[in-house]
Amino acid sequence: MNLVTATWTEPGNTPVALLLLGKGTDPASERGVDCPGDLPAPSDPDLVARATAAKAALGDRVFVLGHHYQRDEVIQFADVTGDSFKLAQQAAARPEAEFIVFCGVHFMAESADILTKPEQQVILPDLAAGCSMADMAVLGQVETAWEHFQDLGIAGDIVPVTYMNSSADIKGFVGRNSGVVCTSSNAKRALDWSFEQGSKVFFLPDQHLGRNTAVLEMGFDLDDCVLYDPHKPHGGLTDEQLRNARMILWRGHCSVHGRFTIDSVREVRERVPGVNVLVHPECRHDVVRAADYVGSTEYIIKALDAAPAGSAWAVGTELNLVRRMALAHPDKQIMFLDRTVCYCSTMNRIDLPHLVWTLEELVAGRVPNVITVDEKTAREARVALDQMLALP
Ligand code: 13P
Ligand code: SF4
């Protein structure tokens, strides 16, 4: 990786919204509520046969999208697998499908609803499949920050950029303020475009993707970045800090990738001489700096597919994907970067019982768990999503 000179101090975690999964409502969460369905028992030995039959009965009327972090039992039924960028493209490219069943999390299904035709319905098999990172940026907080930037007279210089992992109303905010959505596959291109439009970027909600891209891929200094904490007045920043900053990073993070530490990297290097450390850019800055390779989920898959037989890889991303890659490449030594980091609990909400229930409901003529973004939000968010899809 590039070497940077400034000293890096990892800030403590923002308090994470830990919710009782699938139970009750949380108005502060971008995700929905509990699953209303009469789910089949997870022990039902016919679940695979039932999903196969229901999918066959629906034929071309249904298109199933599966994010790479989904369980194997679910991913086997996906018509297309991908990272969030590829899945957004795929959703937009399927105008003939009546139902898009999104095996992923809530913000992805919202983006699919925005990008598909009005008559198409996007379905999330479990409404409680949210994302704790997306929940870390709430519209009211973001608007408060923006008003402060306006009062300081700097809002006109700032281009807002939101990671795909944000609620539709945050994307709407970015769209109405002439910004862009990005994913981990195109964050550099999105920032290059943004710095052609203005002199500063307000990056939401993943501080790590913003910092890692700016510093390690674009040559910014750590001192060019400031961390805006929505729980403190004015983000905990002085007017001078905000005026001088080039990257204003929202204090959000992924509760899965944020758990990999520099100690995991040191430990694996000691244990496995010659190991290649490959991580997702949602990991902390010190972890990414210590890694050999960094990239989006699609990048990680391509790197492992292309790796020579006999090579060793410690991978810092979601466990379902790392496990699948290890099983797919028995001639390579592919291991998880950390011993304690676990699955993304909300991605794992989508299991075979939820998928079977969803598909069988559709066969019965009932459409469950439809994700709908209101018209105004969708129109504004679409501006920022289309800008992403049009990035050079
Ligand atoms: P990508 O799909 O963009 O790699 O993002 C990873 C992720 O955390 C999705 O929730
Ligand atoms: Fe959200 Fe992280 Fe899970 Fe992705 S892996 S859905 S960013 S919590």
Side-chain angles (χ1 to χ4, degrees):
M1 298 296 331
N2 295 349
L3 287 177
V4 281
T5 45
T7 311
W8 164 250
T9 312
E10 181 67 45
N13 285 346
T14 312
V16 181
L18 279 178
L19 304 160
L20 277 178
L21 291 173
K23 296 286 172 223
T25 60
D26 179 358
S29 169
E30 57 91 43
R31 70 155 179 251
V33 293
D34 54 336
C35 180
D38 187 9
L39 299 175
S43 56
D44 181 343
D46 295 331
L47 287 181
V48 170
R50 284 172 65 175
T52 307
K55 193 156 181 270
L58 290 162
D60 291 342
R61 295 175 65 207
V62 71
F63 193 69
V64 181
L65 297 173
H67 190 272
H68 290 307
Y69 299 168
Q70 290 287 294
R71 298 160 179 260
D72 289 353
E73 68 191 43
V74 166
I75 215 85
Q76 65 181 319
F77 291 103
D79 293 304
V80 166
T81 59
D83 63 4
S84 38
F85 180 65
K86 184 170 162 196
L87 295 181
Q89 282 179 316
Q90 287 292 322
R94 298 287 157 178
E96 67 287 354
E98 217 174 305
F99 309 117
I100 305 278
V101 173
F102 211 120
C103 298
V105 290
H106 189 260
F107 69 78
M108 298 178 182
E110 280 187 329
S111 297
D113 180 54
I114 294 165
L115 291 168
T116 48
K117 291 186 164 183
E119 62 274 18
Q120 292 181 287
Q121 288 178 298
V122 177
I123 296 155
L124 185 65
D126 185 346
L127 293 177
C131 165
S132 52
M133 180 203 287
D135 286 345
M136 289 176 197
V138 178
L139 182 61
Q141 298 172 323
V142 173
E143 284 175 338
T144 301
W146 195 252
E147 278 160 25
H148 182 54
F149 302 158
Q150 284 171 325
D151 292 345
L152 281 180
I154 58 171
D157 306 327
I158 302 178
V159 179
V161 178
T162 190
Y163 191 20
M164 181 68 104
N165 304 18
S166 57
S167 61
D169 56 9
I170 299 292
K171 294 186 179 85
F173 163 86
V174 168
R176 68 178 171 272
N177 289 292
S178 310
V180 64
V181 174
C182 76
T183 70
S184 54
S185 320
N186 60 20
K188 178 175 184 306
R189 283 189 286 140
L191 287 187
D192 283 340
W193 176 85
S194 301
F195 281 108
E196 283 164 17
Q197 321 301 311
S199 55
K200 293 173 185 290
V201 160
F202 180 33
F203 195 92
L204 299 152
D206 184 13
Q207 55 167 304
H208 299 304
L209 179 65
R211 182 182 297 108
N212 289 330
T213 310
V215 175
L216 298 176
E217 291 197 53
M218 301 179 67
F220 281 56
D221 200 90
L222 279 171
D223 294 340
D224 294 323
C225 307
V226 292
L227 192 59
Y228 184 98
D229 184 342
H231 301 288
K232 292 186 179 161
H234 297 168
L237 296 167
T238 63
D239 295 353
E240 197 193 355
Q241 282 176 308
L242 284 166
R243 284 207 174 89
N244 291 340
R246 300 206 61 204
M247 289 286 290
I248 303 170
L249 304 169
W250 191 260
R251 188 171 184 167
H253 66 274
C254 166
S255 12
V256 177
H257 292 93
R259 293 180 64 92
F260 294 107
T261 62
I262 187 80
D263 286 342
S264 346
V265 179
R266 286 194 194 113
E267 193 272 331
V268 80
R269 287 203 194 281
E270 270 169 32
R271 195 162 43 86
V272 188
V275 70
N276 297 284
V277 178
L278 168 62
V279 301
H280 193 282
E282 284 174 19
C283 292
R284 297 162 187 236
H285 188 63
D286 53 357
V287 171
V288 172
R289 276 173 67 180
D292 301 301
Y293 303 95
V294 55
S296 71
T297 314
E298 284 286 314
Y299 172 92
I300 289 172
I301 292 171
K302 284 187 188 134
L304 294 175
D305 284 343
S311 55
W313 295 80
V315 189
T317 191
E318 213 273 345
L319 186 49
N320 276 307
L321 174 62
V322 180
R323 216 180 128 262
R324 197 151 47 239
M325 293 309 291
L327 290 172
H329 295 289
D331 58 331
K332 306 169 195 178
Q333 198 188 345
I334 296 176
M335 66 207 90
F336 198 49
L337 176 58
D338 191 274
R339 290 166 192 268
T340 54
V341 175
C342 56
Y343 297 100
C344 171
S345 58
T346 48
M347 281 278 179
N348 262 11
R349 294 286 317 176
I350 314 289
D351 57 11
L352 200 45
H354 283 88
L355 184 61
V356 168
W357 170 74
T358 301
L359 294 172
E360 289 183 348
E361 285 289 292
L362 292 175
V363 173
R366 294 181 293 267
V367 188
N369 293 5
V370 178
I371 302 300
T372 316
V373 177
D374 73 79
E375 218 176 290
K376 177 175 178 291
T377 307
R379 198 175 47 248
E380 292 174 342
R382 174 127 203 178
V383 173
L385 279 163
D386 282 344
Q387 183 56 60
M388 173 188 81
L389 294 171
L391 283 172

